[in-house]
Amino acid sequence: MAYKVPFVDPGTHYQRLKSEIDAAITDCLSKGDLVYRQQLQDFESQLASFVGVRYAVGVNSGYHALHFSLVAAGIGPGDEVITVGHTFVASVSAIVHTGAKPVLIDVGKDHNMNPDLLEAAITPRTRAVMPVHLNGRVCNMDRIMAIAEKHNLVVVEDAAQALGATFQGKRAGGFGLTGCFSFYPFKILGGFGDGGAVTTNDSKVARMVSLLRYNGEDRETGEYHYHGYTALLDNVQAAVLDVKLHHLPEWIEHRRKIALLYRQGLDGIPDLQLPHYCETCNFDIYQNYVVRTKKRDALREHLKLNGVETLVSWPKPMWEHRGLALEKPRLPETESLCQEVLSLPMSAETTLEQIAHTAQCIREFFSWHNRRNNP
Ligand SMILES: Cc1ncc(COP(=O)(O)O)c(C=O)c1O
């Protein structure tokens, strides 16, 4: 079905950047620069300086960025790593694949790790905390870093959705031992396939991640230092991402403008919570604009009928997927979010007219419901 307001629009996105992207790809292909070349290094150094850290290491997914970070921090069997229940499954799988146990805690009203619950989840086995900066909003890193320091825990930031977002002026990916980014096509900085990166100020961690992604091999000496993985960020992807990184500040501004328009168009509707929280401490990049309502499913259907594509992340708690074999925690906020969240269209290509149409459809839906309930 062709939507009047698609959730994202990768075709138009490419057309807009076509000349720059085609030139970058042609340059790689014509020089034969396919694996581990200058374009990768250039992108890594641009990314590190954008995030405000010393090193960035390109890998082939956000998942691998998380997994390698934990491995480089020495996390393994017998350890516990605390993260949230309301996240993409890859955050938790990255922990499981080290042999450590994921300990899931609840999120707060802002959909991010609730720092009030963190200390109670720490046990003598806890080695690390993985805050997830969901939807383009950084967690309260002041509190989380203070608790981690007090208990001598490693912090691995899942910043897959938060490139460019800040907390108290500092960018996501610059707080913990590492920051982990995803360049999945529909992320704010999206490639033409999977991609990711680890950011860090620690030279040993940067080196270990560089080796792990390349089968454990030191390219200078040919020595294999570990049983590693085939998980390098492709050179052509890096060249494309480097082009796109230069546009990121405009796209962040565009997303913030869309968020403002949603807010103006939707403020004041009872039973519709909008995602505007601490604007004095957070600078959000709105990877997703997630509203919350008890009438989520009916609203989604109404929007679909009116040509507006939406997304639900995620409709059932992770531990209810039996194949993941996770212990069932008691996380009431996470469970409610599964019933109530709805992500509205938001991308570099979403137009102001599309936002106006979406907001109008949402208003119509709620006024119809209100009239029906209060005849
Ligand atoms: C919060 C979060 N963590 C981790 C990931 C994993 O990233 P990737 O899909 O690049 O492996 C994603 C991507 O969807 C994500 O949204």
Side-chain angles (χ1 to χ4, degrees):
M1 160 175 184
Y3 283 96
K4 186 168 176 178
V5 188
F7 191 69
V8 288
D9 189 354
T12 307
H13 189 61
Y14 167 63
Q15 287 302 333
R16 259 188 234 284
L17 299 171
K18 188 175 182 330
S19 58
E20 286 178 80
I21 286 176
D22 288 0
I25 294 175
T26 306
D27 183 55
C28 289
L29 299 186
S30 57
K31 290 181 183 153
D33 285 348
L34 301 179
V35 180
Y36 225 135
R37 295 298 169 99
Q38 190 60 42
Q39 294 86 346
L40 176 61
Q41 281 176 32
D42 290 347
F43 171 62
E44 289 173 336
S45 79
Q46 293 291 341
L47 182 67
S49 77
F50 181 83
V51 171
V53 294
R54 288 171 62 202
Y55 309 98
V57 184
V59 294
N60 70 355
S61 68
Y63 162 79
H64 276 103
L66 292 164
H67 183 238
F68 292 164
S69 294
L70 294 168
V71 171
I75 309 294
D79 297 333
E80 292 178 1
V81 178
I82 301 172
T83 191
V84 285
H86 186 57
T87 182
F88 182 54
V89 66
S91 320
V92 177
S93 303
I95 299 168
V96 169
H97 286 153
T98 63
K101 178 181 169 195
V103 174
L104 307 183
I105 64 171
D106 215 348
V107 291
K109 296 289 173 206
D110 61 355
H111 308 197
N112 273 342
M113 180 176 274
N114 183 345
D116 293 339
L117 305 175
L118 181 53
E119 253 181 318
I122 296 172
T123 73
R125 289 171 177 259
T126 309
R127 293 279 317 283
V129 186
M130 183 192 286
V132 181
H133 307 315
L134 205 67
N135 298 324
R137 179 177 314 109
V138 183
C139 297
N140 184 333
M141 292 308 285
D142 213 15
R143 300 267 320 275
I144 293 171
M145 292 305 291
I147 296 168
E149 269 160 38
K150 181 172 156 200
H151 295 270
N152 201 18
L153 305 177
V154 168
V155 175
V156 169
E157 294 170 67
D158 182 338
Q161 299 193 3
L163 181 59
T166 72
F167 179 78
Q168 293 178 346
K170 191 166 171 173
R171 282 203 165 131
F175 292 88
L177 176 67
T178 67
C180 302
F181 294 93
S182 166
F183 308 127
Y184 177 72
F186 305 125
K187 293 292 191 261
I188 192 162
L189 181 68
F192 292 134
D194 283 314
V198 172
T199 55
T200 184
N201 284 312
D202 186 313
S203 59
K204 289 202 184 87
V205 168
R207 176 166 161 77
M208 187 162 177
V209 174
S210 300
L211 299 182
L212 284 171
R213 68 180 175 170
Y214 200 65
N215 298 100
E217 182 186 350
D218 181 335
R219 278 171 57 88
E220 301 288 312
T221 62
E223 184 72 14
Y224 294 103
H225 290 269
Y226 315 98
H227 285 287
Y229 301 78
T230 305
L232 186 65
L233 180 65
D234 286 329
N235 212 66
V236 177
Q237 286 284 7
V240 170
L241 290 167
D242 206 16
V243 165
K244 289 186 156 197
L245 187 54
H246 291 99
H247 291 274
L248 189 60
E250 313 149 30
W251 295 336
I252 291 174
E253 274 323 300
H254 183 68
R255 283 171 182 265
R256 288 175 57 81
K257 192 166 175 184
I258 290 176
L260 183 66
L261 289 178
Y262 273 136
R263 184 181 200 167
Q264 288 167 350
L266 300 173
D267 220 11
I269 299 177
D271 187 24
L272 184 73
Q273 290 175 41
L274 304 179
H276 301 274
Y277 304 99
C278 180
E279 289 183 337
T280 49
C281 41
N282 284 80
F283 176 89
D284 296 353
I285 54 105
Y286 294 100
Q287 167 66 54
N288 305 305
Y289 193 87
V290 182
V291 298
R292 186 171 178 179
T293 169
K294 293 207 165 22
K295 302 186 182 74
R296 192 266 310 279
D297 293 338
L299 172 61
R300 187 170 197 213
E301 191 52 31
H302 174 81
L303 288 172
K304 187 176 174 191
L305 290 173
N306 284 279
V308 179
E309 189 180 19
T310 58
L311 194 75
V312 172
S313 301
W314 296 270
K316 97 175 171 183
M318 206 178 317
W319 56 89
E320 286 183 11
H321 296 262
R322 291 174 58 199
L324 299 179
L326 296 168
E327 270 173 25
K328 180 176 173 9
R330 227 190 71 71
L331 309 182
E333 195 69 33
T334 298
E335 287 180 31
S336 308
L337 286 172
C338 290
Q339 307 290 317
E340 297 174 7
V341 287
L342 186 67
S343 304
L344 302 183
M346 167 69 85
S347 75
E349 306 310 328
T350 310
T351 65
L352 307 187
E353 293 71 32
Q354 288 174 325
I355 299 309
H357 174 72
T358 305
Q360 194 194 336
C361 293
I362 296 174
R363 282 216 160 266
E364 276 164 15
F365 171 84
F366 280 101
S367 70
W368 182 79
H369 262 273
N370 286 345
R371 273 202 310 276
R372 208 178 57 157
N373 294 338
N374 308 299

